[in-house]
């Protein structure tokens, strides 16, 4: 008995001295820090996306970062919208005064007929109200909220002490309209946060050239997003235009696909200008077809595949010195192989991602809380060691 107690004390001492695996004492992330929960377009699962109301709810739910996607108005003002088109997320279609603004533009090679933010002044944008774009989500807040500017989002984030994670949307498209995003964005962010790598700011983009340019004008952290068109029935990634490669690569004649950017060479390229990489989540987790009908609908589809650990992308990104933030986690549409959206995020946290984008920040926060804090085991052993030592002392 005495020997066993001493063993506990020894183990505890060894653990505290860091002699055991460092992974038991720190998060499995790039720098051993706790992962972050990024509110994707705000708490967009609950309220119309990219509104101050949706961002505020995300902050109340415990998100570490709020995400404004950015497009430019005719008068060069940044507003938070997922697309340069306004038809899907605002009430513009029901505003006869703006009927004449409906037009066709080519966005990343695709002819698109809609109302475009770049044809509206900020004053006109402020007359619109946000709507919930997903039919399966709560429509009762439609028509209540304005479209926020970047400055309004920054003020909100700084007031509440959370970070911001702005995305430059379609920079090549904007450039073609004579609306360059990068210098203006950096000027705004430096004014608010300073030119500081440790500021609570990540700038993200699906394009590469604009991030490479940003790297020459700011120390703020940059993240290369990695897209795909779909996942094939065999679990492999489907790469079809315009989701096949960064649009600036198409313009420049660079043949590399998004998948190519996740190879060792691709990650080394990204590490030359960015601090992190943001792949769509199916790039990160292996799935296996094992004949089990997990959805119980009598058919075997990609949704029935069993998840089987890391594809190696997380480890390769970390080896290249890159943080890895993945997307998008949704309570009303969990990913292949997962029925429970919280369990899905826990799985990714356990694999070592540095952050997750979710429309439901409360579920993200719950998932993170459900993953055992590193060091818990060491503290438990230390506690047992202490109890053992006290027991021995009483006996003596
Ligand atoms: Ca985004
Ligand atoms: Ca099934």
């Amino acid at each position: 008995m005495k020997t066993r107690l001493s063993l506990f004390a020894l183990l505890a001492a060894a653990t505290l001295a860091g002699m055991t695996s460092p992974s038991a004492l720190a998060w499995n992330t790039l720098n051993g820090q706790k992962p972050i929960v990024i509110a994707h377009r705000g708490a967009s699962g609950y309220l119309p996306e990219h509104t101050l109301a949706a961002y505020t709810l995300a902050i109340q739910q415990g998100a570490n970062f709020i995400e404004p996607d950015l497009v430019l108005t005719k008068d060069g003002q940044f507003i938070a919208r997922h697309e340069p088109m306004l038809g899907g997320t605002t009430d513009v279609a029901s505003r006869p005064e703006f009927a004449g603004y409906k037009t066709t533009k080519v966005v990343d090679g695709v002819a698109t007929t809609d109302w475009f933010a770049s044809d509206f002044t900020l004053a006109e944008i402020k007359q619109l109200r946000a709507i919930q774009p997903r039919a399966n989500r709560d429509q009762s807040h439609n028509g209540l909220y304005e479209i926020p500017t970047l400055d309004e989002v920054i003020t909100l984030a700084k007031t509440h002490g959370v970070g911001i994670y702005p995305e430059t949307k379609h920079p090549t498209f904007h450039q073609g309209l004579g609306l360059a995003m990068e210098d203006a964005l950096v000027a705004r962010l430096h004014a608010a946060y300073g030119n500081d790598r440790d500021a609570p700011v990540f700038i993200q983009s699906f394009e590469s050239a604009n991030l490479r340019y940003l790297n020459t004008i700011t120390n703020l952290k940059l993240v290369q997003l990695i897209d795909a068109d779909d996942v094939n029935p065999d679990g492999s990634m489907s790469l079809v235009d315009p989701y096949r490669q960064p649009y600036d690569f198409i313009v420049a004649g660079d043949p590399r696909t998004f998948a190519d950017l996740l190879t060792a060479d691709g990650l080394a390229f990204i590490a030359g200008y960015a601090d992190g990489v943001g792949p769509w989540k199916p790039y990160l987790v292996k799935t296996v077809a094992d004949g089990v009908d997990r959805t119980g609908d009598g058919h075997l589809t990609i949704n029935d595949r069993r998840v089987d650990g890391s594809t190696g992308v997380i480890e390769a990104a970390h080896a290249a010195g890159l943080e890895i933030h993945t997307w998008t986690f949704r309570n009303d549409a969990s990913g292949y192989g997962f029925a429970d959206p919280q369990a899905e995020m826990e799985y990714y946290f356990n694999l070592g991602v540095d952050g997750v984008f979710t429309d439901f920040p409360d579920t993200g926060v719950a998932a993170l809380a459900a993953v055992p804090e590193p060091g818990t085991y060491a503290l438990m052993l230390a506690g047992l060691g202490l109890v053992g030592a006290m027991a021995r002392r009483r006996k003596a």
Side-chain angles (χ1 to χ4, degrees):
M1 190 64 190
K2 199 176 173 186
T3 315
R4 194 181 299 166
L5 287 172
S6 303
L7 189 65
F8 274 128
L10 195 68
L11 264 172
T15 307
L16 287 175
M19 287 168 66
T20 55
S21 156
S23 65
L25 295 172
W27 289 89
N28 206 12
T29 51
L30 176 65
N31 297 315
Q33 287 164 353
K34 191 171 185 168
I36 55 171
V37 174
I38 306 148
H40 183 247
R41 314 183 197 177
S44 59
Y46 300 103
L47 292 172
E49 65 187 46
H50 293 309
T51 57
L52 292 181
Y55 297 132
T56 301
L57 179 59
I59 293 165
Q60 288 165 353
Q61 292 182 344
N64 305 112
F65 282 76
I66 53 175
E67 186 216 23
D69 292 329
L70 298 175
V71 303
L72 283 169
T73 62
K74 186 181 182 176
D75 45 351
Q77 303 298 308
F78 284 105
I79 58 167
R81 286 294 91 188
H82 182 255
E83 303 94 12
M85 294 75 78
L86 300 169
T89 64
T90 75
D91 60 0
V92 68
S94 66
R95 301 285 187 128
E97 65 272 34
F98 298 125
Y101 285 13
K102 193 174 186 180
T103 187
T104 301
K105 295 184 198 287
V106 178
V107 182
D108 297 359
V110 181
T112 307
T113 300
D114 208 300
W115 294 262
F116 289 82
S118 52
D119 292 329
F120 289 66
T121 64
L122 179 59
E124 288 171 330
I125 291 285
K126 283 292 186 182
Q127 296 172 37
L128 304 176
R129 292 294 177 268
I131 60 170
Q132 168 57 256
R134 290 179 179 246
N136 61 327
R137 290 182 176 171
D138 183 2
Q139 303 290 318
S140 69
H141 295 83
N142 290 357
L144 298 181
Y145 309 123
E146 286 184 4
I147 313 308
T149 62
L150 171 62
D151 289 345
E152 290 171 317
V153 181
I154 290 173
T155 299
L156 180 75
K158 290 187 79 167
T159 300
H160 294 280
V162 302
I164 66 164
Y165 208 126
E167 177 181 354
T168 57
K169 299 302 287 194
H170 307 281
T172 298
F173 166 79
H174 278 98
Q175 211 163 23
L177 300 172
L179 294 167
M181 309 184 98
E182 294 78 21
D183 291 286
L185 175 61
V186 163
R188 278 298 210 294
L189 293 172
H190 284 185
Y193 296 97
N195 183 12
D196 180 359
R197 193 185 181 279
D198 295 324
V201 178
F202 289 94
I203 307 173
Q204 48 167 335
S205 183
F206 282 109
E207 293 191 19
S208 165
N210 76 318
L211 290 173
R212 280 178 273 152
Y213 174 66
L214 282 165
N215 186 45
T216 68
I217 60 171
T218 184
N219 296 320
L220 294 168
K221 291 190 289 285
L222 307 176
V223 174
Q224 175 69 60
L225 299 172
I226 301 290
D227 211 346
D229 172 61
D230 205 346
V231 180
N232 296 314
D234 67 356
S236 63
M237 304 304 292
S238 167
L239 293 161
V240 176
D241 286 334
Y243 308 105
R244 183 180 134 78
Q245 58 186 139
Y247 187 65
D248 60 285
F249 279 17
I250 295 178
V251 172
D254 188 325
R256 287 176 295 177
T257 65
F258 279 119
D260 291 332
L261 293 180
L262 292 179
T263 63
D265 282 352
L267 290 165
F269 169 74
I270 292 171
Y273 58 87
D275 306 277
V277 61
W280 187 27
K281 61 190 181 179
Y283 276 108
L284 307 187
V285 170
K286 230 182 326 182
T287 63
V288 177
D290 60 1
V292 178
D293 178 15
R294 292 189 166 76
T295 62
D297 62 354
H299 302 283
L300 284 178
T301 69
I302 187 164
N303 294 311
D304 296 306
R305 295 171 68 92
R306 173 172 58 80
V307 292
D308 191 31
S310 172
T311 56
V313 168
I314 296 170
E315 293 76 6
H318 286 170
L322 294 165
E323 291 191 53
I324 189 155
H325 298 160
T326 189
W327 46 275
T328 298
F329 295 86
R330 297 185 163 112
N331 289 9
D332 45 13
S334 53
Y336 308 121
F338 294 94
D340 175 356
Q342 181 179 320
E344 182 187 18
M345 277 189 274
E346 287 174 32
Y347 194 87
Y348 281 79
F349 283 134
N350 277 311
L351 288 181
V353 298
D354 301 86
V356 299
F357 289 85
T358 176
D359 292 359
F360 297 83
D362 52 347
T363 306
V365 169
L368 192 50
V371 178
E373 288 271 350
T376 305
Y377 184 59
L379 286 173
M380 197 181 74
L381 282 176
L384 284 169
L386 195 65
V387 168
M390 285 166 66
R392 278 199 308 283
R393 194 165 298 147
R394 261 203 303 278
K395 272 185 183 172

